[in-house]
Amino acid sequence: MSSKMKESVETVLNMPTCTSCNRVISPGQEATKFSCPSCGEIVIWRCNRCRKFGRPYQCPKCGFTGP
Amino acid sequence: MSEKTEKDEVEEAEETKDAKEEVKENVDDAEVGLVVGEDLLLPRDTLLSAGIHIGTRMKTKDMSQFIYRVRPDGLFVLDVKKTDDRIRTVAKFLARFEPSKIAVVSARLYGQTPVKKFCEVTGATPLIGRFVPGMFSNPLYPNRIDAAVVVVSDPKADVQAVKEAAAAGVPVVGLCSTDNEFTGVDLVIPTNNKGRRALAVIFWLLARQVLRERGELPPDQNLTQTIDDFEAKVTKEEET
C-alpha cells in the first residue's frame, strides 16, 4: 500500500484503541465502550483481552482508575 | 448442585454473622481504614454492623487494592472508604443510562430480594434466579433483553451473565468480595457480597444514590423503603 493511500485510509477509518493496552480494536471484537464512570466526558474502550485479564484502565481526563 | 450452593450460602452467612459480632465489640476506626470526620453515605456504625467490610478468607491479586488488612482469624477486611467512593461512582455511572436498559442479575438467594427492590425503586430490569443462557447474546431468543449495562451481585455466581455481557459488548458492574477476580468486570464495588444484611445495605445505598444522581430524590432525603425492606427474609423452614 502506498504511503498516500495508507494515509487516506487512516483518516477515513478512525479506529478506536483500547484505553488499557493502546491496541487498535478491530470491528467484530468483543470489546466494550462506556463513558468514564467518574467524569462521564471521556469514552473508555476496553478490548476483549484487557477485559478477560482485568487489566486496569485510567481516564485521561479525571484520572479515575478501574475496574 | 443448588442444595450445595444454598448450604454454602448459609455457612458463609453464619461466618459473616460471627465476624460481624466480633467487629461490633472491637470496632475501631483504624480497623476499617476510616479517618475521623470523613463523610460516608450512611453512619459508620450502620455500615459496620451490616458487615459490608467483611471479606472472605481468600484473597485475589485483583482485589488486593481494596483490602485494608487481614484479621488474626484470617478474614480479609475491606476498606469502607473505598466502598463508599465506589458506590458514589457507580451511581453516577448508572444514572446516565435509561432505567429500563439496566439489567441487575442475582443468582444468589440472599441477593434476590435486594435486586427486586432495587429494580422497583430505580426502574431497572431484574434477572433473579437461574440466568437463562442467551438472554443477552441470542438474537433469536424471544425473551432476550437488550441491556445497556449489567449489574451482577457476584461475578463468580453470575458467570453466565458476565460472559454474555462480554460477548454483547455491554459494560458490567460487579459487587466483588475479596475472593473475586476482575474477569469480564468493568467496574467494581468492593463489598461483602454474601451477607444478607450487607447486600441489602449496598443495594439500598445504590438505589438511593442513583435517584439522587438522576435528580428524582433531593440530596438530603431518604427512600421511602427502609433497609429492612431490601433484606431477604428467612423463613423458619430455611433456618432449621
Side-chain angles (χ1 to χ4, degrees), chain B residues 1-12:
Chain B
M1 192 170 170
S2 65
E3 279 177 17
K4 196 184 169 187
T5 316
E6 281 177 20
K7 198 184 166 188
D8 286 351
E9 274 190 6
V10 172
E11 277 174 11
E12 281 160 4

Side-chain angles (χ1 to χ4, degrees), chain A residues 28-41 46-48 50-57 64-67, chain B residues 62 65-66 86 88-90 92-93 96-97 162-163 165-172 182-189:
Chain A
Q29 253 193 42
E30 288 174 358
T32 186
K33 67 166 181 174
F34 51 91
S35 57
C36 170
S38 186
C39 65
E41 291 175 24
R46 295 190 82 205
C47 67
N48 56 349
C50 289
R51 292 185 90 190
K52 186 179 173 188
F53 297 122
R55 287 182 191 142
Y57 58 86
F64 174 81
T65 309
Chain B
D62 290 339
Q65 58 180 305
F66 298 111
R86 278 302 172 100
R88 290 172 201 260
T89 310
V90 169
K92 232 189 279 177
F93 180 63
R96 291 189 206 118
F97 293 91
V162 174
K163 272 184 191 171
V170 176
V172 177
F182 289 175
T183 305
V185 181
D186 297 300
L187 193 55
V188 165
I189 302 177

Side-chain angles (χ1 to χ4, degrees), chain A:
Chain A
M1 192 186 292
S2 69
S3 61
K4 196 178 175 185
M5 194 173 169
K6 194 178 174 185
E7 203 173 89
S8 66
V9 166
E10 276 176 1
T11 48
V12 173
L13 298 173
N14 195 6
M15 303 281 274
T17 54
C18 174
T19 311
S20 301
C21 64
N22 289 325
R23 285 184 190 155
V24 172
I25 296 169
S26 54
Q29 253 193 42
E30 288 174 358
T32 186
K33 67 166 181 174
F34 51 91
S35 57
C36 170
S38 186
C39 65
E41 291 175 24
I42 300 285
V43 175
I44 287 168
W45 282 87
R46 295 190 82 205
C47 67
N48 56 349
R49 286 176 300 252
C50 289
R51 292 185 90 190
K52 186 179 173 188
F53 297 122
R55 287 182 191 142
Y57 58 86
Q58 191 174 28
C59 173
K61 185 160 188 201
C62 67
F64 174 81
T65 309

